[in-house]
Amino acid sequence: MEHYHGTTILGVKKGDRTVIAGDGQVSLGNTVIKPNAKKVRRLGDGSVIGGFAGATADAFTLFERLEKKLEAHRGQLLRAAVELAKDWRTDKYLRNLEAMMIVADKDTLLILTGNGDVLEPDGGIAAIGSGGNYALAAARALTEYEGDPEKLARRAMAIAAEVCVFTNGQLTVETIEG
């Protein structure tokens, strides 16, 4: 059975703005199944943004769980993310979910994985997915030349789309300001 591929999610935090951008491509083998999937969205009351790579149903399950944790911890993203990571790692059902997430609020940018990782990336740049390393390298190279995190994210994603066959230029972008 062939596997679905095709996600590039990039988070950039600069100054008081944080942006998460995601491409729209979903591929099955050599075929683009969908060019305009929405892999980035606002969570909870809109004060948190997130993007996912991996199985869509799994990611939506994790987003729902994160929203519940945000409610339980009064919108404290770091605390909610740690609690989600604990559940994700130890719960029999959640442990089998195949996805990664980048989430952010006005203060924090995090990568969440099924291994129980809650990572705050150095330099305010995080990337996941098939084209994540391309977007990460491009964003790091551009960071000292571009002060606007949205322009930086859009340009880095365009570079990733030029290099990675599982990434396209149809972006969904969400921004949080402090």
Side-chain angles (χ1 to χ4, degrees), residues 58-97:
D58 293 356
F60 284 137
T61 298
L62 292 166
F63 276 153
E64 288 173 9
R65 295 282 182 122
L66 180 59
E67 285 178 322
K68 288 177 184 171
K69 297 291 184 186
L70 284 165
E71 270 182 36
H73 298 289
R74 295 178 305 231
Q76 296 176 42
L77 177 60
L78 184 57
R79 178 103 187 263
V82 168
E83 292 302 316
L84 174 64
K86 282 184 199 175
D87 290 352
W88 195 354
R89 176 148 176 121
T90 59
D91 183 273
K92 265 176 127 174
Y93 168 72
L94 292 178
R95 197 175 334 147
N96 294 318
L97 298 182

mmCIF file of all heavy atoms in Angstrom, residues 58-97:
data_model
loop_
_atom_site.group_PDB
_atom_site.id
_atom_site.type_symbol
_atom_site.label_atom_id
_atom_site.label_comp_id
_atom_site.label_asym_id
_atom_site.label_seq_id
_atom_site.Cartn_x
_atom_site.Cartn_y
_atom_site.Cartn_z
ATOM 1 N N ASP A 58 -5.577 11.796 12.477
ATOM 2 C CA ASP A 58 -4.773 11.780 13.700
ATOM 3 C C ASP A 58 -4.489 13.206 14.173
ATOM 4 O O ASP A 58 -4.590 13.517 15.361
ATOM 5 C CB ASP A 58 -3.453 11.033 13.476
ATOM 6 C CG ASP A 58 -3.654 9.544 13.226
ATOM 7 O OD1 ASP A 58 -4.801 9.068 13.294
ATOM 8 O OD2 ASP A 58 -2.645 8.863 12.960
ATOM 9 N N ALA A 59 -4.147 14.076 13.227
ATOM 10 C CA ALA A 59 -3.846 15.463 13.587
ATOM 11 C C ALA A 59 -5.075 16.160 14.151
ATOM 12 O O ALA A 59 -4.970 16.888 15.152
ATOM 13 C CB ALA A 59 -3.322 16.211 12.368
ATOM 14 N N PHE A 60 -6.244 15.941 13.557
ATOM 15 C CA PHE A 60 -7.452 16.575 14.078
ATOM 16 C C PHE A 60 -7.788 16.056 15.465
ATOM 17 O O PHE A 60 -8.248 16.809 16.327
ATOM 18 C CB PHE A 60 -8.626 16.417 13.118
ATOM 19 C CG PHE A 60 -8.540 17.341 11.932
ATOM 20 C CD1 PHE A 60 -8.829 16.878 10.669
ATOM 21 C CD2 PHE A 60 -8.158 18.661 12.068
ATOM 22 C CE1 PHE A 60 -8.754 17.717 9.557
ATOM 23 C CE2 PHE A 60 -8.067 19.517 10.980
ATOM 24 C CZ PHE A 60 -8.364 19.037 9.720
ATOM 25 N N THR A 61 -7.550 14.788 15.715
ATOM 26 C CA THR A 61 -7.744 14.237 17.052
ATOM 27 C C THR A 61 -6.826 14.942 18.041
ATOM 28 O O THR A 61 -7.248 15.325 19.144
ATOM 29 C CB THR A 61 -7.457 12.716 17.058
ATOM 30 O OG1 THR A 61 -8.381 12.075 16.180
ATOM 31 C CG2 THR A 61 -7.567 12.133 18.449
ATOM 32 N N LEU A 62 -5.575 15.155 17.650
ATOM 33 C CA LEU A 62 -4.615 15.831 18.529
ATOM 34 C C LEU A 62 -4.971 17.298 18.728
ATOM 35 O O LEU A 62 -4.839 17.817 19.840
ATOM 36 C CB LEU A 62 -3.200 15.676 17.975
ATOM 37 C CG LEU A 62 -2.685 14.236 18.027
ATOM 38 C CD1 LEU A 62 -1.437 14.092 17.164
ATOM 39 C CD2 LEU A 62 -2.399 13.814 19.461
ATOM 40 N N PHE A 63 -5.433 17.971 17.677
ATOM 41 C CA PHE A 63 -5.874 19.360 17.832
ATOM 42 C C PHE A 63 -7.034 19.450 18.818
ATOM 43 O O PHE A 63 -7.069 20.338 19.667
ATOM 44 C CB PHE A 63 -6.300 19.951 16.483
ATOM 45 C CG PHE A 63 -5.187 20.510 15.649
ATOM 46 C CD1 PHE A 63 -5.313 20.553 14.275
ATOM 47 C CD2 PHE A 63 -4.025 21.020 16.210
ATOM 48 C CE1 PHE A 63 -4.300 21.078 13.475
ATOM 49 C CE2 PHE A 63 -3.008 21.551 15.425
ATOM 50 C CZ PHE A 63 -3.149 21.580 14.056
ATOM 51 N N GLU A 64 -7.994 18.524 18.718
ATOM 52 C CA GLU A 64 -9.122 18.513 19.655
ATOM 53 C C GLU A 64 -8.639 18.315 21.082
ATOM 54 O O GLU A 64 -9.105 18.988 22.012
ATOM 55 C CB GLU A 64 -10.118 17.410 19.286
ATOM 56 C CG GLU A 64 -10.916 17.709 18.037
ATOM 57 C CD GLU A 64 -11.774 16.533 17.599
ATOM 58 O OE1 GLU A 64 -11.891 15.525 18.342
ATOM 59 O OE2 GLU A 64 -12.330 16.612 16.477
ATOM 60 N N ARG A 65 -7.718 17.376 21.271
ATOM 61 C CA ARG A 65 -7.164 17.124 22.606
ATOM 62 C C ARG A 65 -6.426 18.353 23.128
ATOM 63 O O ARG A 65 -6.522 18.686 24.300
ATOM 64 C CB ARG A 65 -6.210 15.925 22.591
ATOM 65 C CG ARG A 65 -6.860 14.611 22.273
ATOM 66 C CD ARG A 65 -7.589 14.064 23.489
ATOM 67 N NE ARG A 65 -8.178 12.779 23.201
ATOM 68 C CZ ARG A 65 -7.920 11.674 23.868
ATOM 69 N NH1 ARG A 65 -7.091 11.680 24.880
ATOM 70 N NH2 ARG A 65 -8.507 10.545 23.535
ATOM 71 N N LEU A 66 -5.667 19.013 22.257
ATOM 72 C CA LEU A 66 -4.946 20.214 22.675
ATOM 73 C C LEU A 66 -5.923 21.310 23.073
ATOM 74 O O LEU A 66 -5.708 22.007 24.069
ATOM 75 C CB LEU A 66 -4.003 20.700 21.570
ATOM 76 C CG LEU A 66 -3.193 21.952 21.914
ATOM 77 C CD1 LEU A 66 -2.327 21.739 23.160
ATOM 78 C CD2 LEU A 66 -2.336 22.375 20.734
ATOM 79 N N GLU A 67 -7.008 21.464 22.327
ATOM 80 C CA GLU A 67 -8.006 22.474 22.677
ATOM 81 C C GLU A 67 -8.597 22.202 24.060
ATOM 82 O O GLU A 67 -8.792 23.127 24.853
ATOM 83 C CB GLU A 67 -9.104 22.528 21.613
ATOM 84 C CG GLU A 67 -8.633 23.209 20.348
ATOM 85 C CD GLU A 67 -9.672 23.244 19.240
ATOM 86 O OE1 GLU A 67 -10.417 22.241 19.069
ATOM 87 O OE2 GLU A 67 -9.719 24.258 18.532
ATOM 88 N N LYS A 68 -8.846 20.938 24.384
ATOM 89 C CA LYS A 68 -9.347 20.585 25.718
ATOM 90 C C LYS A 68 -8.320 20.898 26.795
ATOM 91 O O LYS A 68 -8.654 21.384 27.876
ATOM 92 C CB LYS A 68 -9.743 19.105 25.765
ATOM 93 C CG LYS A 68 -10.998 18.804 24.992
ATOM 94 C CD LYS A 68 -11.327 17.328 25.007
ATOM 95 C CE LYS A 68 -12.536 17.056 24.129
ATOM 96 N NZ LYS A 68 -12.781 15.634 23.933
ATOM 97 N N LYS A 69 -7.051 20.625 26.494
ATOM 98 C CA LYS A 69 -5.983 20.928 27.464
ATOM 99 C C LYS A 69 -5.848 22.438 27.649
ATOM 100 O O LYS A 69 -5.608 22.910 28.765
ATOM 101 C CB LYS A 69 -4.640 20.341 27.004
ATOM 102 C CG LYS A 69 -4.618 18.831 26.904
ATOM 103 C CD LYS A 69 -4.701 18.172 28.251
ATOM 104 C CE LYS A 69 -4.578 16.661 28.099
ATOM 105 N NZ LYS A 69 -4.801 15.960 29.360
ATOM 106 N N LEU A 70 -5.999 23.202 26.574
ATOM 107 C CA LEU A 70 -5.949 24.662 26.685
ATOM 108 C C LEU A 70 -7.078 25.173 27.578
ATOM 109 O O LEU A 70 -6.870 26.069 28.396
ATOM 110 C CB LEU A 70 -6.037 25.312 25.296
ATOM 111 C CG LEU A 70 -4.776 25.247 24.455
ATOM 112 C CD1 LEU A 70 -5.086 25.588 22.995
ATOM 113 C CD2 LEU A 70 -3.702 26.178 25.002
ATOM 114 N N GLU A 71 -8.274 24.608 27.416
ATOM 115 C CA GLU A 71 -9.401 24.973 28.289
ATOM 116 C C GLU A 71 -9.090 24.650 29.744
ATOM 117 O O GLU A 71 -9.310 25.463 30.634
ATOM 118 C CB GLU A 71 -10.658 24.203 27.877
ATOM 119 C CG GLU A 71 -11.503 24.876 26.862
ATOM 120 C CD GLU A 71 -12.750 24.053 26.551
ATOM 121 O OE1 GLU A 71 -13.328 23.407 27.464
ATOM 122 O OE2 GLU A 71 -13.133 24.054 25.368
ATOM 123 N N ALA A 72 -8.583 23.445 29.970
ATOM 124 C CA ALA A 72 -8.303 22.995 31.338
ATOM 125 C C ALA A 72 -7.202 23.813 32.012
ATOM 126 O O ALA A 72 -7.198 23.952 33.237
ATOM 127 C CB ALA A 72 -7.913 21.511 31.332
ATOM 128 N N HIS A 73 -6.284 24.367 31.211
ATOM 129 C CA HIS A 73 -5.153 25.110 31.776
ATOM 130 C C HIS A 73 -5.218 26.594 31.438
ATOM 131 O O HIS A 73 -4.197 27.265 31.345
ATOM 132 C CB HIS A 73 -3.830 24.489 31.305
ATOM 133 C CG HIS A 73 -3.663 23.081 31.767
ATOM 134 N ND1 HIS A 73 -3.418 22.752 33.080
ATOM 135 C CD2 HIS A 73 -3.752 21.906 31.104
ATOM 136 C CE1 HIS A 73 -3.343 21.439 33.199
ATOM 137 N NE2 HIS A 73 -3.549 20.904 32.016
ATOM 138 N N ARG A 74 -6.444 27.094 31.278
ATOM 139 C CA ARG A 74 -6.723 28.520 31.068
ATOM 140 C C ARG A 74 -5.852 29.166 30.000
ATOM 141 O O ARG A 74 -5.305 30.246 30.190
ATOM 142 C CB ARG A 74 -6.615 29.283 32.383
ATOM 143 C CG ARG A 74 -7.672 28.863 33.398
ATOM 144 C CD ARG A 74 -7.482 29.606 34.664
ATOM 145 N NE ARG A 74 -6.108 29.393 35.131
ATOM 146 C CZ ARG A 74 -5.781 28.997 36.337
ATOM 147 N NH1 ARG A 74 -6.697 28.831 37.217
ATOM 148 N NH2 ARG A 74 -4.524 28.810 36.671
ATOM 149 N N GLY A 75 -5.690 28.477 28.866
ATOM 150 C CA GLY A 75 -4.999 29.047 27.730
ATOM 151 C C GLY A 75 -3.483 29.034 27.808
ATOM 152 O O GLY A 75 -2.824 29.583 26.931
ATOM 153 N N GLN A 76 -2.916 28.403 28.822
ATOM 154 C CA GLN A 76 -1.456 28.333 28.958
ATOM 155 C C GLN A 76 -0.925 27.277 27.983
ATOM 156 O O GLN A 76 -0.990 26.081 28.259
ATOM 157 C CB GLN A 76 -1.064 27.972 30.380
ATOM 158 C CG GLN A 76 -1.463 28.995 31.409
ATOM 159 C CD GLN A 76 -1.128 28.514 32.811
ATOM 160 O OE1 GLN A 76 -0.067 27.942 33.043
ATOM 161 N NE2 GLN A 76 -2.043 28.738 33.739
ATOM 162 N N LEU A 77 -0.385 27.718 26.861
ATOM 163 C CA LEU A 77 0.017 26.803 25.797
ATOM 164 C C LEU A 77 1.086 25.820 26.245
ATOM 165 O O LEU A 77 0.958 24.622 25.989
ATOM 166 C CB LEU A 77 0.496 27.566 24.559
ATOM 167 C CG LEU A 77 0.996 26.686 23.416
ATOM 168 C CD1 LEU A 77 -0.086 25.735 22.919
ATOM 169 C CD2 LEU A 77 1.533 27.541 22.291
ATOM 170 N N LEU A 78 2.129 26.280 26.881
ATOM 171 C CA LEU A 78 3.212 25.379 27.270
ATOM 172 C C LEU A 78 2.700 24.276 28.196
ATOM 173 O O LEU A 78 2.989 23.099 27.996
ATOM 174 C CB LEU A 78 4.364 26.145 27.917
ATOM 175 C CG LEU A 78 5.594 25.317 28.267
ATOM 176 C CD1 LEU A 78 6.157 24.597 27.053
ATOM 177 C CD2 LEU A 78 6.668 26.208 28.893
ATOM 178 N N ARG A 79 1.911 24.632 29.173
ATOM 179 C CA ARG A 79 1.356 23.645 30.107
ATOM 180 C C ARG A 79 0.437 22.658 29.382
ATOM 181 O O ARG A 79 0.508 21.447 29.582
ATOM 182 C CB ARG A 79 0.595 24.369 31.220
ATOM 183 C CG ARG A 79 -0.056 23.468 32.212
ATOM 184 C CD ARG A 79 0.723 23.401 33.505
ATOM 185 N NE ARG A 79 0.168 22.414 34.385
ATOM 186 C CZ ARG A 79 -0.692 22.669 35.370
ATOM 187 N NH1 ARG A 79 -1.077 23.898 35.605
ATOM 188 N NH2 ARG A 79 -1.135 21.686 36.113
ATOM 189 N N ALA A 80 -0.423 23.181 28.506
ATOM 190 C CA ALA A 80 -1.339 22.331 27.745
ATOM 191 C C ALA A 80 -0.562 21.387 26.833
ATOM 192 O O ALA A 80 -0.901 20.210 26.708
ATOM 193 C CB ALA A 80 -2.307 23.187 26.933
ATOM 194 N N ALA A 81 0.501 21.893 26.213
ATOM 195 C CA ALA A 81 1.307 21.071 25.302
ATOM 196 C C ALA A 81 2.018 19.950 26.051
ATOM 197 O O ALA A 81 2.075 18.813 25.573
ATOM 198 C CB ALA A 81 2.323 21.944 24.572
ATOM 199 N N VAL A 82 2.540 20.246 27.222
ATOM 200 C CA VAL A 82 3.211 19.213 28.026
ATOM 201 C C VAL A 82 2.208 18.141 28.434
ATOM 202 O O VAL A 82 2.496 16.940 28.349
ATOM 203 C CB VAL A 82 3.909 19.837 29.257
ATOM 204 C CG1 VAL A 82 4.339 18.771 30.249
ATOM 205 C CG2 VAL A 82 5.103 20.689 28.816
ATOM 206 N N GLU A 83 1.030 18.543 28.845
ATOM 207 C CA GLU A 83 0.012 17.574 29.245
ATOM 208 C C GLU A 83 -0.433 16.721 28.052
ATOM 209 O O GLU A 83 -0.622 15.519 28.183
ATOM 210 C CB GLU A 83 -1.183 18.282 29.889
ATOM 211 C CG GLU A 83 -0.865 18.903 31.233
ATOM 212 C CD GLU A 83 -0.343 17.899 32.253
ATOM 213 O OE1 GLU A 83 -0.906 16.788 32.355
ATOM 214 O OE2 GLU A 83 0.637 18.223 32.952
ATOM 215 N N LEU A 84 -0.592 17.343 26.872
ATOM 216 C CA LEU A 84 -0.941 16.584 25.675
ATOM 217 C C LEU A 84 0.169 15.589 25.341
ATOM 218 O O LEU A 84 -0.105 14.432 25.037
ATOM 219 C CB LEU A 84 -1.173 17.512 24.485
ATOM 220 C CG LEU A 84 -1.415 16.797 23.150
ATOM 221 C CD1 LEU A 84 -2.700 15.982 23.184
ATOM 222 C CD2 LEU A 84 -1.428 17.793 21.999
ATOM 223 N N ALA A 85 1.417 16.027 25.411
ATOM 224 C CA ALA A 85 2.549 15.145 25.095
ATOM 225 C C ALA A 85 2.597 13.945 26.042
ATOM 226 O O ALA A 85 2.886 12.824 25.613
ATOM 227 C CB ALA A 85 3.858 15.922 25.146
ATOM 228 N N LYS A 86 2.300 14.175 27.318
ATOM 229 C CA LYS A 86 2.259 13.061 28.281
ATOM 230 C C LYS A 86 1.203 12.045 27.863
ATOM 231 O O LYS A 86 1.462 10.839 27.830
ATOM 232 C CB LYS A 86 1.923 13.578 29.683
ATOM 233 C CG LYS A 86 3.047 14.225 30.409
ATOM 234 C CD LYS A 86 2.527 14.573 31.808
ATOM 235 C CE LYS A 86 3.347 15.610 32.491
ATOM 236 N NZ LYS A 86 2.749 16.001 33.784
ATOM 237 N N ASP A 87 -0.001 12.546 27.557
ATOM 238 C CA ASP A 87 -1.088 11.651 27.136
ATOM 239 C C ASP A 87 -0.729 10.933 25.845
ATOM 240 O O ASP A 87 -0.958 9.735 25.699
ATOM 241 C CB ASP A 87 -2.387 12.432 26.923
ATOM 242 C CG ASP A 87 -2.995 12.933 28.210
ATOM 243 O OD1 ASP A 87 -2.513 12.559 29.299
ATOM 244 O OD2 ASP A 87 -3.960 13.724 28.120
ATOM 245 N N TRP A 88 -0.177 11.671 24.906
ATOM 246 C CA TRP A 88 0.163 11.142 23.587
ATOM 247 C C TRP A 88 1.153 10.000 23.719
ATOM 248 O O TRP A 88 1.071 8.996 23.040
ATOM 249 C CB TRP A 88 0.736 12.268 22.747
ATOM 250 C CG TRP A 88 0.838 12.065 21.274
ATOM 251 C CD1 TRP A 88 0.584 10.934 20.556
ATOM 252 C CD2 TRP A 88 1.241 13.045 20.324
ATOM 253 N NE1 TRP A 88 0.811 11.151 19.218
ATOM 254 C CE2 TRP A 88 1.217 12.452 19.050
ATOM 255 C CE3 TRP A 88 1.632 14.377 20.424
ATOM 256 C CZ2 TRP A 88 1.564 13.139 17.893
ATOM 257 C CZ3 TRP A 88 1.971 15.061 19.277
ATOM 258 C CH2 TRP A 88 1.940 14.440 18.027
ATOM 259 N N ARG A 89 2.071 10.133 24.626
ATOM 260 C CA ARG A 89 3.094 9.101 24.802
ATOM 261 C C ARG A 89 2.599 7.889 25.587
ATOM 262 O O ARG A 89 3.009 6.767 25.331
ATOM 263 C CB ARG A 89 4.304 9.704 25.499
ATOM 264 C CG ARG A 89 5.352 8.680 25.800
ATOM 265 C CD ARG A 89 6.708 9.260 25.746
ATOM 266 N NE ARG A 89 7.640 8.218 26.132
ATOM 267 C CZ ARG A 89 8.601 7.792 25.370
ATOM 268 N NH1 ARG A 89 8.773 8.313 24.192
ATOM 269 N NH2 ARG A 89 9.406 6.858 25.773
ATOM 270 N N THR A 90 1.709 8.096 26.541
ATOM 271 C CA THR A 90 1.334 7.014 27.446
ATOM 272 C C THR A 90 -0.006 6.352 27.127
ATOM 273 O O THR A 90 -0.203 5.196 27.468
ATOM 274 C CB THR A 90 1.303 7.511 28.907
ATOM 275 O OG1 THR A 90 0.366 8.580 29.018
ATOM 276 C CG2 THR A 90 2.676 7.971 29.350
ATOM 277 N N ASP A 91 -0.931 7.055 26.502
ATOM 278 C CA ASP A 91 -2.248 6.500 26.208
ATOM 279 C C ASP A 91 -2.156 5.492 25.061
ATOM 280 O O ASP A 91 -1.580 5.784 24.015
ATOM 281 C CB ASP A 91 -3.205 7.642 25.837
ATOM 282 C CG ASP A 91 -4.607 7.159 25.586
ATOM 283 O OD1 ASP A 91 -4.887 6.772 24.431
ATOM 284 O OD2 ASP A 91 -5.414 7.168 26.525
ATOM 285 N N LYS A 92 -2.749 4.306 25.248
ATOM 286 C CA LYS A 92 -2.679 3.242 24.239
ATOM 287 C C LYS A 92 -3.208 3.683 22.882
ATOM 288 O O LYS A 92 -2.625 3.386 21.845
ATOM 289 C CB LYS A 92 -3.498 2.027 24.702
ATOM 290 C CG LYS A 92 -2.722 0.972 25.404
ATOM 291 C CD LYS A 92 -3.677 -0.103 25.871
ATOM 292 C CE LYS A 92 -3.227 -1.462 25.398
ATOM 293 N NZ LYS A 92 -4.053 -2.524 25.964
ATOM 294 N N TYR A 93 -4.317 4.401 22.878
ATOM 295 C CA TYR A 93 -4.925 4.862 21.633
ATOM 296 C C TYR A 93 -4.095 5.974 20.997
ATOM 297 O O TYR A 93 -3.746 5.912 19.817
ATOM 298 C CB TYR A 93 -6.357 5.347 21.891
ATOM 299 C CG TYR A 93 -6.953 6.090 20.733
ATOM 300 C CD1 TYR A 93 -7.330 5.419 19.573
ATOM 301 C CD2 TYR A 93 -7.121 7.471 20.781
ATOM 302 C CE1 TYR A 93 -7.870 6.105 18.497
ATOM 303 C CE2 TYR A 93 -7.657 8.159 19.715
ATOM 304 C CZ TYR A 93 -8.029 7.477 18.579
ATOM 305 O OH TYR A 93 -8.549 8.164 17.515
ATOM 306 N N LEU A 94 -3.767 6.993 21.779
ATOM 307 C CA LEU A 94 -3.038 8.143 21.240
ATOM 308 C C LEU A 94 -1.642 7.772 20.758
ATOM 309 O O LEU A 94 -1.132 8.362 19.804
ATOM 310 C CB LEU A 94 -2.932 9.257 22.288
ATOM 311 C CG LEU A 94 -4.217 9.959 22.689
ATOM 312 C CD1 LEU A 94 -3.923 10.991 23.762
ATOM 313 C CD2 LEU A 94 -4.895 10.595 21.502
ATOM 314 N N ARG A 95 -1.021 6.804 21.406
ATOM 315 C CA ARG A 95 0.342 6.400 21.068
ATOM 316 C C ARG A 95 0.470 5.990 19.604
ATOM 317 O O ARG A 95 1.528 6.114 19.007
ATOM 318 C CB ARG A 95 0.774 5.246 21.973
ATOM 319 C CG ARG A 95 2.237 5.000 22.010
ATOM 320 C CD ARG A 95 2.630 3.944 23.010
ATOM 321 N NE ARG A 95 1.681 3.817 24.105
ATOM 322 C CZ ARG A 95 1.410 2.684 24.720
ATOM 323 N NH1 ARG A 95 2.001 1.569 24.363
ATOM 324 N NH2 ARG A 95 0.540 2.648 25.710
ATOM 325 N N ASN A 96 -0.615 5.508 19.008
ATOM 326 C CA ASN A 96 -0.591 5.053 17.619
ATOM 327 C C ASN A 96 -0.860 6.157 16.604
ATOM 328 O O ASN A 96 -0.824 5.905 15.405
ATOM 329 C CB ASN A 96 -1.608 3.925 17.422
ATOM 330 C CG ASN A 96 -1.209 2.691 18.201
ATOM 331 O OD1 ASN A 96 -0.038 2.324 18.236
ATOM 332 N ND2 ASN A 96 -2.171 2.085 18.855
ATOM 333 N N LEU A 97 -1.135 7.369 17.077
ATOM 334 C CA LEU A 97 -1.414 8.463 16.153
ATOM 335 C C LEU A 97 -0.129 8.922 15.477
ATOM 336 O O LEU A 97 0.899 9.100 16.124
ATOM 337 C CB LEU A 97 -2.072 9.631 16.883
ATOM 338 C CG LEU A 97 -3.423 9.331 17.529
ATOM 339 C CD1 LEU A 97 -3.996 10.577 18.166
ATOM 340 C CD2 LEU A 97 -4.402 8.738 16.533
#
